[in-house]
Amino acid sequence: MNVRLRQDAIVRSLRRKGTLTIADLAAEVGASRRTVLRDISSLRDEGFVIRSEPGPGGGLQLDPQSVQTTARLSVAEIFALLVSVASVRAAGSLPFSDLADAGLAKIEKALPVDKVRDLRRFMDCLYIGKLSPEVDISNVGEMSPLLLPTFETAFLQRLYLSFQYCDAKGAVTSRVVEPQAMLILPPLWYLVAWDPARNDFRHFRMDRISQPEYLQDKKFQRRHIVFEDGVSPIRDNPKVSR
């Protein structure tokens, strides 16, 4: 569990259960006492009032009035919201789309400048189109929750990605690639990457990717990708590229 997910889990637990000990929180989030104490300190620095009650029966308590009213969302989380709306719209089944767009716009306006800049750079890597009716979608699986947070760092810092990939026949291989774009062809999502081992671009279904990791200090350059007709950058859609 990454730092943000763990800290969010700590806040949720304190809100729901009222009082918890460090040991209780450590067990709930699967971390050490030292890590939880460090997370508590970080949350206090962000404005959460977390009180310590000493003695038997004591523990940590969160003042519900201290919970921030501004969006405490990562770039990857906001990106996920934006592309989810865009992909459902592309499939032609998004009711209340104007309300969804208005809500996303408010979230984006609450972001600091550096996060807005990263979000727009992340969005520049996203393309959308329509899936051919000939493609078999009977075996679509779930995507790993680690994908977008890992992709965020890899795309923004232009770092190589390593992962395990299971092909249509069930064979699993280890891949190390240059992530160049993400392509949504609802209901399928693809990572478009340059594969140095094959000296060519490859499309990897994201529901078949597992154990994604970015390789620190191993950088690459952006490459020009030629997509098929009907695929366009998501930034060309004014509804999702403010």
Side-chain angles (χ1 to χ4, degrees):
M1 184 181 295
N2 66 33
V3 174
R4 178 167 294 278
L5 292 177
R6 189 176 62 244
Q7 291 179 0
D8 287 344
I10 289 172
V11 171
R12 284 198 305 272
S13 295
L14 289 172
R15 290 185 68 184
R16 291 172 181 171
K17 299 183 179 180
T19 301
L20 288 170
T21 65
I22 295 295
D24 291 335
L25 286 171
E28 289 205 14
V29 302
S32 68
R33 289 174 56 89
R34 179 176 297 180
T35 297
V36 170
L37 286 169
R38 188 165 57 244
D39 287 337
I40 294 296
S41 178
S42 296
L43 288 167
R44 283 170 172 160
D45 289 343
E46 292 184 15
F48 290 92
V49 177
I50 301 175
R51 299 188 178 91
S52 300
E53 297 293 336
L60 297 174
Q61 293 181 341
L62 172 68
D63 180 354
Q65 300 301 317
S66 73
V67 177
Q68 296 169 320
T69 56
T70 56
R72 185 176 178 267
L73 298 172
S74 69
V75 169
E77 289 167 336
I78 298 169
F79 180 84
L81 290 172
L82 287 166
V83 297
S84 296
V85 170
S87 60
V88 176
R89 180 185 286 110
S93 57
L94 180 63
F96 315 118
S97 60
D98 289 342
L99 285 174
D101 290 326
L104 290 170
K106 290 178 181 178
I107 290 174
E108 187 173 335
K109 287 178 181 177
L111 293 175
V113 174
D114 59 332
K115 282 195 176 183
V116 172
R117 182 176 61 249
D118 285 348
L119 178 62
R120 289 174 179 170
R121 287 178 56 209
F122 207 9
M123 295 290 287
D124 283 342
C125 300
L126 185 66
Y127 293 76
I128 194 164
K130 292 189 176 181
L131 188 68
S132 167
E134 299 175 359
V135 176
D136 180 16
I137 57 172
S138 62
N139 61 346
V140 178
E142 293 185 4
M143 288 187 286
S144 168
L146 298 176
L147 287 181
L148 282 187
T150 305
F151 283 9
E152 176 191 353
T153 300
F155 275 96
L156 294 182
Q157 298 185 26
R158 296 184 182 176
L159 298 174
Y160 277 69
L161 272 174
S162 70
F163 53 84
Q164 300 294 303
Y165 190 69
C166 181
D167 66 19
K169 296 181 180 179
V172 178
T173 54
S174 298
R175 302 296 183 96
V176 177
V177 301
E178 302 173 2
Q180 299 288 337
M182 282 170 283
L183 173 62
I184 304 177
L185 302 176
L188 299 181
W189 291 47
Y190 293 88
L191 168 66
V192 183
W194 178 262
D195 190 338
R198 292 159 177 79
N199 197 35
D200 200 358
F201 283 104
R202 288 290 186 270
H203 286 55
F204 299 97
R205 268 182 46 175
M206 289 168 61
D207 60 312
R208 293 177 176 171
I209 294 175
S210 62
Q211 301 177 39
E213 295 183 10
Y214 56 84
L215 305 184
Q216 194 68 52
D217 299 326
K218 188 172 183 181
K219 294 181 177 290
F220 64 88
Q221 297 295 320
R222 289 287 298 274
R223 298 174 184 264
H224 177 66
I225 308 171
V226 178
F227 287 103
E228 297 180 355
D229 292 342
V231 172
S232 61
I234 201 168
R235 65 175 177 269
D236 290 347
N237 185 336
K239 288 284 190 178
V240 293
S241 55
R242 288 170 283 277

